[in-house]
Amino acid sequence: MALALQGGGVHGAYTWGVLDRLLEDGLAVGRVCGVSSGALIAAMLVQGLVKDGAAGARQEMRRLWERVSQANSLNPLQSGPLESWLWGWDVSSDLVWQGVETALRMFSPAQLNPFGHNPLRAVIADVLDRDALTHASAIPLTVAATDVETGASVRWTNAQITVDVLLASCCLPFVFHAVEIDGRAYWDGGYSGNPPLGPLLLPRPPAELVLIRAQPAHRPGAPGTPAEILNRLNEIACHGVLEAELAALPGRVRVSAYDADKVLAELPLSSKFNANPAFLTELFEAGRAAALLAPQAAAK
């Protein structure tokens, strides 16, 4: 069975929940491909399976999100008790978020963050175990990012995956500097494949492909603010690439999907940056609940 994991920022905690439940129920994964937060989860899945099977994979994924939550303690966008009671997990009414949103529209990452600080670097460095990823028993893993100059999807496999590769796969161009690897600049992998499915077809197409989405395919109504419009455009573009790949899959590949619309469609852009422990737990539990339901047949 092949596993495809979408990116979606902090909303990837929903994917974590789906996978946690599926592994608890005996999911057997033969190969996996992921982008952005899906790439981080995929790396934890693979190295955890090497260490202690399904239990190890569940433990490694939890360790990732606990580390993300710890890093969030210094995040000025985190909601306090009053804000959470008033607005739930939407911090878009927070004055700090409004300032950030305005700055993102007016300035480039080079202007806002001249030293290129990325808090994910320390998180990834703490949790990544390259020895486990390259172990003889490790299942094939593919991580993808987007080449800034060509727009092409560039893929790395187990032995090539480093902190920089995972940072590149997660690089939001309006927030962080492009990540340079071997003289090439990279942005988030979702722009060129969310995730790319080609690597999951080699050396031969799998009988089953399971897709876990971390972005809503449908959102009610039309977005109002410039940031929300841009976010929806990004979602549409990322889904468009994936839908084209799904349509081109061989007919003998059975595709099932765990969609995120019910859980994530009402959440605003600001919540993708809100790694509050309680919010992560809510997304995780929603993912576990979704995994109890029969997956949807993905259109091909």
Side-chain angles (χ1 to χ4, degrees):
M1 189 275 293
L3 183 64
L5 303 181
Q6 274 194 339
V10 166
H11 292 176
Y14 171 81
T15 298
W16 166 36
V18 173
L19 265 180
D20 186 79
R21 182 68 197 208
L22 293 178
L23 287 166
E24 186 178 66
D25 291 342
L27 177 73
V29 183
R31 65 192 83 159
V32 58
C33 181
V35 296
S36 198
S37 59
L40 300 182
I41 295 169
M44 296 303 102
L45 170 73
V46 173
Q47 68 188 44
L49 288 173
V50 168
K51 294 177 179 180
D52 189 23
R58 296 174 67 201
Q59 181 177 347
E60 290 292 280
M61 290 190 296
R62 179 171 292 278
R63 189 163 70 93
L64 165 67
W65 289 100
E66 286 176 348
R67 185 64 182 81
V68 168
S69 178
Q70 291 167 6
N72 180 70
S73 63
L74 301 177
N75 180 5
L77 298 181
Q78 63 179 320
S79 298
L82 177 60
E83 290 89 346
S84 296
W85 180 74
L86 288 172
W87 301 305
W89 303 120
D90 180 1
V91 297
S92 58
S93 297
D94 187 280
L95 291 178
V96 176
W97 168 259
Q98 291 175 9
V100 170
E101 188 178 54
T102 300
L104 291 177
R105 293 200 303 268
M106 297 178 63
F107 303 101
S108 72
Q111 294 170 304
L112 291 174
N113 184 11
F115 297 105
H117 174 67
N118 189 329
L120 263 183
R121 179 175 291 279
V123 172
I124 296 171
D126 279 353
V127 300
L128 183 64
D129 186 340
R130 297 193 68 214
D131 288 338
L133 289 186
T134 58
H135 192 273
S137 65
I139 64 172
L141 165 65
T142 302
V143 166
T146 303
D147 186 299
V148 176
E149 292 186 21
T150 67
S153 176
V154 178
R155 295 87 182 262
W156 295 267
T157 55
N158 298 56
Q160 302 165 314
I161 294 170
T162 63
V163 172
D164 280 340
V165 164
L166 291 174
L167 276 177
S169 187
C170 297
C171 181
L172 299 174
F174 293 98
V175 181
F176 301 116
H177 293 228
V179 177
E180 185 173 312
I181 301 173
D182 296 331
R184 306 294 297 182
Y186 296 99
W187 283 337
D188 192 292
Y191 294 112
S192 53
N194 197 22
L197 303 182
L200 299 176
L201 304 180
L202 302 174
R204 58 184 178 275
E208 181 179 9
L209 188 153
V210 174
L211 167 66
I212 304 179
R213 300 183 188 267
Q215 292 186 2
H218 306 89
R219 278 189 184 271
T225 70
E228 295 290 352
I229 292 170
L230 182 60
N231 178 58
R232 186 57 185 150
L233 285 172
N234 285 336
E235 289 177 343
I236 292 170
C238 290
H239 277 295
V241 176
L242 175 62
E243 295 303 323
E245 287 203 75
L246 285 170
L249 284 176
R252 61 184 180 278
V253 179
R254 184 172 69 257
V255 182
S256 54
Y258 291 90
D259 288 335
D261 288 19
K262 183 177 179 181
V263 176
L264 303 180
E266 299 291 343
L267 293 175
L269 168 62
S270 62
S271 67
K272 290 184 177 182
F273 299 90
N274 186 2
N276 181 295
F279 183 45
L280 295 180
T281 298
E282 185 175 301
L283 291 174
F284 170 75
E285 293 298 343
R288 280 184 56 86
L292 292 174
L293 306 174
Q296 298 180 356
K300 291 174 56 178

